[in-house]
Amino acid sequence: MEWTLEVVVLPVSDVDRAKEFYADKVGFKVDLDREVAPGIRIVQLTPPGSRCSVSLTQGLPGAPGQRGMEPGSLSGLQLCVTDIAAAHGELVARGVDVSPVRHAGPGGWEDGPGEEWNSFLFFSDPDGNGWTVQEAPAPLAER
């Protein structure tokens, strides 16, 4: 049996603002924007080339037995690209406040690209949910 990660719920304070950020600035595709029941809205967006989406919700009750997340409390979300410099340029051109390209070195994070699998950039959404973008040596289908 396969267990595929397909949706990550992002805790946000304003669904419309978050939808605009992820669609217009980061370039995610809007798959769904629907009121699924009275007062319950779900917006699902997918990064280009990804099989995993993010979900923004409004009015959806918490899952039974699970605690809710405060807007901006999620960090460590990671995207992979094959050209970190191009990804950086695209995000900057779209108005995203993004870090310089960095790599992990002996003293911690150092500016500039690193060796294979060691080039990153970082950004946060308007609520503070943190993202990492890592350069991969090849598209996912080829790894």
Side-chain angles (χ1 to χ4, degrees):
M1 170 176 29
E2 290 184 0
W3 291 52
T4 60
L5 179 62
E6 297 191 17
V7 179
V8 173
V9 176
L10 283 176
V12 298
S13 60
D14 183 325
V15 171
D16 288 318
R17 179 180 70 174
K19 176 186 173 187
E20 179 183 0
F21 175 79
Y22 285 106
D24 297 344
K25 293 195 174 201
V26 184
F28 288 13
K29 177 183 175 283
V30 178
D31 303 316
L32 173 75
D33 184 349
R34 185 174 307 146
E35 186 174 62
V36 296
I40 300 175
R41 179 178 171 204
I42 297 176
V43 176
Q44 187 168 311
L45 304 103
T46 304
S50 180
R51 297 214 34 206
C52 186
S53 303
V54 295
S55 178
L56 314 171
T57 63
Q58 186 172 32
L60 185 68
Q66 297 181 9
R67 62 175 187 240
M69 294 182 285
E70 291 297 317
S73 64
L74 198 55
S75 66
L77 296 161
Q78 189 161 322
L79 300 167
C80 286
V81 297
T82 56
D83 186 337
I84 199 79
H88 186 273
E90 184 176 319
L91 291 172
V92 168
R94 291 174 176 236
V96 177
D97 184 14
V98 61
S99 76
V101 173
R102 295 188 170 131
H103 66 278
W109 290 108
E110 300 176 4
D111 285 347
E115 299 297 322
E116 189 172 82
W117 289 106
N118 192 14
S119 296
F120 301 86
L121 61 84
F122 308 91
F123 69 91
S124 295
D125 73 12
D127 283 295
N129 293 303
W131 288 85
T132 298
V133 180
Q134 180 182 30
E135 185 174 74
L140 181 60
E142 297 174 20
R143 288 187 253 141

